[in-house]
């Protein structure tokens, strides 16, 4: 399946030397991590509070117990493994074809697959800090703690993820924008392009080839040279670096 599209994608990759990959939740769903916006995604499940409320800064500060109950159960998938899409992107970077991955995901699977230059727009579950003294804690510590994870100093630990009402990290934004602006090919994968400001980053691309690989149509109309409505792992697995 998708042989013609894979052939076209291969030609584009062969013609490129500075590929940047911009990805979203659809890259991780194939590793068993639930997304937020699809029909069976987290936003469509029934909770006392809406997931959008729970993952907001004000909710975290006001109801940390409820936040962590949801966060640990639904957002910390520590057993998830990289899928063929993650592996292929790491391979393309190793081959000198891909210069960066810009991701909206917080699961760390790109790094687990071997990708080195990764701009995590929304942070990572693998970095957690005490709000009092700044001490670092890993994901395992947070996941295994009872209720609200606390530092040895007594302070509450906060995951280094960007919650609603919080701004993106400026250094990460700068790196991502620079990478996209200097790319000759931009591959957008597994994202509906509805989360801003992240979705606006693709406006910085002025290169040669624009490719979209997503199971459903993207929310932001992009003039893609090649658009493939398919699971990204399936498409990327058939590509040679």
């Amino acid at each position: 399946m998708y042989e013609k599209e894979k052939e076209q994608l291969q030609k584009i990759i062969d013609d490129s030397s500075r590929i940047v990959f911009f990805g979203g939740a659809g890259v991780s769903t194939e590793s068993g991590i639930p997304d937020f916006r699809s029909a069976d995604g987290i936003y469509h499940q029934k909770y006392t509070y809406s997931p959008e409320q729970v993952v907001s800064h004000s909710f975290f500060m006001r109801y940390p117990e409820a936040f962590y109950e949801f966060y640990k159960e639904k957002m910390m998938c520590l057993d998830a493994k990289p899928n063929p899409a993650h592996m292929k992107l790491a391979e393309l970077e190793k081959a000198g074809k891909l210069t960066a991955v810009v991701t909206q995901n917080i699961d760390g699977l790109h790094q687990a697959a071997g990708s080195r230059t990764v701009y995590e727009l929304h942070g990572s579950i693998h970095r957690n800090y005490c709000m009092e003294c700044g001490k670092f804690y890993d994901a395992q510590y947070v996941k295994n703690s009872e209720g609200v994870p606390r530092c040895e100093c007594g302070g509450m630990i906060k995951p280094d993820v960007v919650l609603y009402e919080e701004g993106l990290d400026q250094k990460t934004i700068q790196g991502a924008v620079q990478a996209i602006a200097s790319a000759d090919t931009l591959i957008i994968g597994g994202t509906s392009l509805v989360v801003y400001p992240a979705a606006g980053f693709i406006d910085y691309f002025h290169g040669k080839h624009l490719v979209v690989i997503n199971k459903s149509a993207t929310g932001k109309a992009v003039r893609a040279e090649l658009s493939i409505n398919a699971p990204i792992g399936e498409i990327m697995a058939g590509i040679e670096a």
Side-chain angles (χ1 to χ4, degrees):
M1 269 179 86
Y2 307 109
E3 292 315 311
K4 193 184 164 199
E5 289 91 339
K6 282 182 199 169
E7 217 172 283
Q8 280 176 275
L9 179 59
Q10 186 67 62
K11 275 182 187 166
I12 289 170
I13 286 171
D14 292 343
D15 186 44
S16 311
S17 57
R18 292 187 315 282
I19 301 168
V20 168
F21 178 81
F22 183 96
V27 181
S28 294
T29 49
E30 290 173 57
S31 291
I33 295 178
D35 74 342
F36 272 58
R37 288 182 169 75
S38 67
D40 52 357
I42 288 173
Y43 281 161
H44 296 273
Q45 296 172 22
K46 287 181 173 62
Y47 294 99
T48 314
Y49 301 97
S50 75
E52 226 153 353
Q53 271 178 292
V54 178
V55 292
S56 67
H57 179 82
S58 49
F59 189 94
F60 169 77
M61 297 304 290
R62 202 168 169 190
Y63 308 109
E65 293 86 356
F67 169 86
Y68 268 114
E69 191 184 340
F70 176 88
Y71 178 75
K72 288 181 200 178
E73 187 196 340
K74 293 289 174 189
M75 296 174 75
M76 296 191 83
C77 306
L78 301 188
D79 295 332
K81 298 280 184 282
N83 63 53
H86 297 107
M87 304 306 282
K88 189 58 68 178
L89 291 165
E91 207 182 303
L92 285 164
E93 184 184 34
K94 206 175 173 186
K97 283 273 182 186
L98 182 135
T99 55
V101 167
V102 179
T103 181
Q104 297 173 82
N105 298 335
I106 58 173
D107 49 50
L109 290 180
H110 285 293
Q111 290 92 330
S115 287
R116 297 170 77 86
T117 306
V118 182
Y119 296 104
E120 295 173 306
L121 298 178
H122 298 152
S124 171
I125 61 168
H126 297 285
R127 297 188 298 270
N128 306 274
Y129 299 95
C130 170
M131 294 176 79
E132 296 293 324
C133 72
K135 187 177 173 179
F136 170 86
Y137 288 90
D138 65 12
Q140 214 70 49
Y141 180 89
V142 170
K143 182 92 167 176
N144 297 336
S145 59
E146 276 188 45
V148 178
R150 298 264 168 199
C151 174
E152 53 193 32
C153 80
M156 183 163 73
I157 292 168
K158 181 184 183 295
D160 186 18
V161 299
V162 180
L163 303 175
Y164 286 105
E165 305 160 353
E166 293 179 345
L168 304 190
D169 176 69
Q170 285 306 310
K171 204 177 162 191
T172 307
I173 290 175
Q174 212 178 338
V177 165
Q178 239 164 1
I180 291 168
S182 58
D184 58 6
T185 293
L186 180 64
I187 300 174
I188 299 167
T191 175
S192 52
L193 291 178
V194 294
V195 179
Y196 278 84
F201 283 26
I202 63 164
D203 296 337
Y204 291 95
F205 176 68
H206 303 292
K208 198 174 176 185
H209 305 290
L210 179 58
V211 177
V212 175
I213 308 167
N214 196 44
K215 281 208 273 195
S216 58
T218 57
K220 187 179 166 70
V222 293
R223 293 189 184 88
E225 173 185 342
L226 175 62
S227 191
I228 309 172
N229 294 126
I232 185 159
E234 190 180 330
I235 298 300
M236 294 303 283
I239 294 302
E240 281 180 33

